[in-house]
C-alpha cells in the first residue's frame, strides 16, 4: 500500500492544498492520502486558530474526495506536533505500507530543525513539492537535502498557486471576498463562525465544534 502524508496548520485550507493533494495522488499513485492538521506546529508561534475549527475546515475542504482521508492523529495527541511521532504511529498502523511524506520546497530549509529528522527520514520516502514553473530552483535544494541525508528525496512538480493562508486571513479581516481562494464549504464555515475577524479568537475558543 502506498500512503501519502500531507501535514500543516491549514489555517485555513485553500484551493492550493487541493491541487497539491490531487497531484500527489496521481503522480505518486497513492492508495490513500492522509491530510493531517497539526495540533500546534513547533516552529510556529502559539497564536493559531483553535484545533476544532481547523479540523472542521479541513474536513469541509477534503471531505468526500476519493482516496483522501482527514486524520486527526496530531490533534487527538495534543501538544506540539512532531512529525516523527506521527509517522511512528502510522507505521504501527500500516507496518508494510510505503509512506510518502509531502513537504513544500519552502519547508526544506527548516528540516534540520525538525525533531529526530534522521529517524523520520528512515521511515518515509520524502517528497519535495515544487511548482512546475519553477524547475530551475530544484537544483538549489540538493545541498540542504544532502545535509540531512535526504539526497534520495523525490521531487514532484505540482500546480501550486501563489496563495497563502496568511493572505486569506488578511482578506477576511479586511472584509474582502475569499470565494475562489478556498472551497465554498470552507468559505461558508469561515463566514458562519466569524473566524479571522478582530474578535474571532475569543469567540472561536468558546464556540468551536465539540470535537476538539
Amino acid at each position: 500500500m502506498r500512503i501519502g502524508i500531507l501535514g500543516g496548520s491549514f489555517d485555513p485550507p485553500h484551493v492550493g492544498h487541493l491541487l497539491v493533494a490531487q497531484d500527489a495522488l496521481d503522480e505518486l499513485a497513492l492508495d490513500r492520502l492522509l491530510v493531517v492538521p497539526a495540533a500546534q506546529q513547533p516552529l510556529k508561534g502559539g497564536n493559531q486558530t483553535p484545533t476544532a475549527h481547523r479540523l472542521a475546515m479541513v474536513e469541509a475542504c477534503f471531505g468526500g474526495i476519493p482516496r483522501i482521508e482527514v486524520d486527526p492523529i496530531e490533534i487527538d495527541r495534543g501538544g506540539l506536533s512532531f512529525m516523527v511521532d506521527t509517522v511512528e504511529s502510522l507505521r504501527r498502523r500500516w507496518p508494510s505500507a510505503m509512506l510518502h511524506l509531502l513537504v513544500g520546497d519552502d519547508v526544506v530549509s527548516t528540516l534540520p530543525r525538525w525533531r529526530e529528522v534522521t529517524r523520520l527520514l528512515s521511515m518515509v520516502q520524502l517528497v519535495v513539492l515544487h511548482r512546475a514553473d519553477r524547475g530551475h530552483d530544484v537544483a538549489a535544494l540538493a545541498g540542504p537535502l544532502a545535509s540531512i541525508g535526504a539526497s534520495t528525496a523525490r521531487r514532484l512538480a505540482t500546480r501550486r498557486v501563489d496563495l497563502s493562508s496568511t493572505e486569506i486571513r488578511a482578506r477576511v479581516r479586511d472584509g474582502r471576498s475569499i470565494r475562489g481562494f478556498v472551497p465554498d464549504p470552507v468559505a461558508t464555515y469561515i463566514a458562519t463562525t466569524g473566524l479571522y475577524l478582530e474578535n474571532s479568537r475569543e469567540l472561536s475558543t468558546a464556540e468551536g465544534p465539540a470535537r476538539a
Side-chain angles (χ1 to χ4, degrees):
M1 180 180 291
R2 298 169 64 85
I3 298 175
I5 305 165
L6 178 63
S9 296
F10 300 108
D11 194 10
H14 51 68
V15 294
H17 294 127
L18 282 174
L19 291 175
V20 164
Q22 193 60 61
D23 285 340
L25 281 171
D26 294 342
E27 296 301 320
L28 300 175
L30 299 176
D31 296 293
R32 67 178 70 185
L33 173 63
L34 304 179
V35 180
V36 182
Q40 182 177 336
Q41 290 195 336
L43 301 183
K44 291 189 176 182
N47 192 31
Q48 296 178 26
T49 300
T51 56
H53 283 302
R54 290 189 287 107
L55 178 57
M57 287 189 289
V58 170
E59 290 173 336
C61 181
F62 292 97
I65 300 178
R67 294 188 288 155
I68 295 183
E69 300 176 15
V70 177
D71 194 327
I73 182 173
E74 293 187 346
I75 289 177
D76 290 345
R77 190 170 65 232
L80 295 177
S81 299
F82 296 106
M83 184 55 70
V84 66
D85 297 332
T86 299
V87 167
E88 194 168 51
S89 295
L90 296 177
R91 176 59 67 200
R92 288 195 296 269
R93 194 187 303 176
W94 291 291
S96 61
M98 178 178 292
L99 301 180
H100 296 76
L101 177 61
L102 313 180
V103 300
D105 54 3
D106 56 331
V107 173
V108 169
S109 64
T110 73
L111 289 175
R113 298 163 58 196
W114 287 27
R115 171 176 282 188
E116 297 185 68
V117 67
T118 301
R119 186 162 71 90
L120 169 64
L121 295 177
S122 72
M123 295 186 286
V124 300
Q125 167 68 63
L126 184 67
V127 180
V128 178
L129 309 168
H130 66 90
R131 270 177 37 180
D133 61 350
R134 288 203 338 227
H136 63 281
D137 291 340
V138 175
L141 301 175
L145 290 172
S147 71
I148 56 171
S151 56
T152 59
R154 176 167 178 172
R155 278 75 157 178
L156 176 60
T158 71
R159 295 166 294 172
R160 298 177 71 194
V161 296
D162 287 325
L163 182 62
S164 72
S165 296
T166 300
E167 177 186 3
I168 294 169
R169 295 195 300 269
R171 291 183 69 88
V172 174
R173 285 195 302 270
D174 294 342
R176 292 181 289 167
S177 174
I178 58 172
R179 297 289 176 179
F181 289 72
V182 300
D184 286 347
V186 177
T188 299
Y189 185 90
I190 292 172
T192 300
T193 58
L195 284 179
Y196 308 127
L197 299 176
E198 287 298 326
N199 61 345
S200 65
R201 189 155 301 280
E202 290 78 10
L203 291 174
S204 60
T205 302
E207 299 177 2
R211 186 180 179 185

